Amino acid sequence: MPTAMITGASAGLGRAIATALAPTHTLFLAGRPSSRLDRVAEEFGATTWPVDLANTEDIETVVEPIVELDVLVHNAGVAYPGRVGESAVEEWSATMAVNLLGPVALTLALLPALRAARGHVVFINSGSGINASPGLASYSASKFALRAFADSLRADEPALRVTSIHPGRIDTDMQRDLIAYEGREYVPEQFLTPETVAAAVAQAVATPLDAHVHEVVIRPR
């Protein structure tokens, strides 16, 4: 069975992606050790990998045993709501560390394994990676940069498939924090479900090998 590593799989969209890929892939769940991640791993018979995207120095050593990897899904991310004038440099640094530098470091560490499998790298980006969103200054910047990294990886590694997923707002804890910042009532029905976005990820991964899905843009109806 092909292998798939998913970051940020302990809840929300990451857990939904694990659910969508579990029937067809052996799962490697990467993230900070936690009881929630352990429960997801137990449910799917998956292996956990103690990867802290904010600590790039240890990533290469952690994933060194992986010699072949079919799919890498970059899902983990953070957002600090705030307009430019409200933001702090520390928030920009923390956002870039998890949303950009961590995925870069993990991809580079796993590049030999991905090449060996002629694998597929999926980046969970955002609508904010296409059009900057008010109140999400550092998040939008990190997602624009992540899209550029995905495009560069696709251009420089033609043996790999590289897909950027750009969903609109999703019903997750991160979304609740953003709506609270905006001072609005949270209405889950206004947003995409994690399962809908996970299905798009699974469909991109299942695309026959004669095709290459570069980008997927999903918006709530």
Side-chain angles (χ1 to χ4, degrees):
M1 189 177 288
T3 53
M5 174 174 280
I6 306 166
T7 67
S10 62
L13 178 56
R15 191 188 186 288
I17 294 171
T19 302
L21 294 183
T24 54
H25 290 75
T26 298
L27 300 183
F28 301 156
L29 306 183
R32 293 176 179 174
S34 71
S35 58
R36 289 200 305 176
L37 187 62
D38 289 342
R39 284 195 294 270
V40 176
E42 184 177 357
E43 179 179 354
F44 297 116
T47 303
T48 59
W49 294 79
V51 173
D52 182 354
L53 294 178
N55 183 9
T56 57
E57 294 181 358
D58 295 337
I59 289 177
E60 186 172 1
T61 300
V62 170
V63 302
E64 186 177 8
I66 302 175
V67 296
E68 192 165 317
L69 182 65
D70 296 282
V71 179
L72 172 60
V73 181
H74 290 290
N75 168 71
V78 297
Y80 298 95
R83 296 178 181 271
V84 172
E86 302 168 342
S87 64
V89 171
E90 292 78 13
E91 292 174 344
W92 284 79
S93 179
T95 303
M96 291 296 177
V98 175
N99 292 3
L100 176 64
L101 298 180
V104 169
L106 184 58
T107 302
L108 294 180
L110 288 170
L111 202 51
L114 289 162
R115 287 170 176 159
R118 297 181 64 84
H120 192 164
V121 185
V122 179
F123 294 89
I124 304 301
N125 200 291
S126 168
S128 297
I130 299 175
N131 297 294
S133 299
L136 284 172
S138 61
Y139 179 79
S140 296
S142 71
K143 291 300 188 178
F144 266 79
L146 187 67
R147 183 186 185 189
F149 175 62
D151 290 347
S152 296
L153 181 65
R154 189 183 304 113
D156 290 343
E157 296 288 336
L160 304 183
R161 297 199 293 183
V162 179
T163 303
S164 288
I165 308 287
H166 294 272
R169 295 191 171 198
I170 309 171
D171 178 19
T172 62
D173 290 341
M174 182 185 292
Q175 195 62 237
R176 290 181 181 275
D177 292 340
L178 178 57
I179 295 301
Y181 165 79
E182 294 173 341
R184 299 193 288 119
E185 179 185 0
Y186 192 83
V187 182
E189 293 76 18
Q190 294 179 347
F191 311 118
L192 296 164
T193 67
E195 290 74 21
T196 293
V197 180
V201 173
Q203 185 174 7
V205 170
T207 299
L209 294 178
D210 63 331
H212 186 168
V213 179
H214 289 201
E215 288 190 344
V216 177
V217 179
I218 315 169
R219 294 289 181 269
R221 293 186 66 176

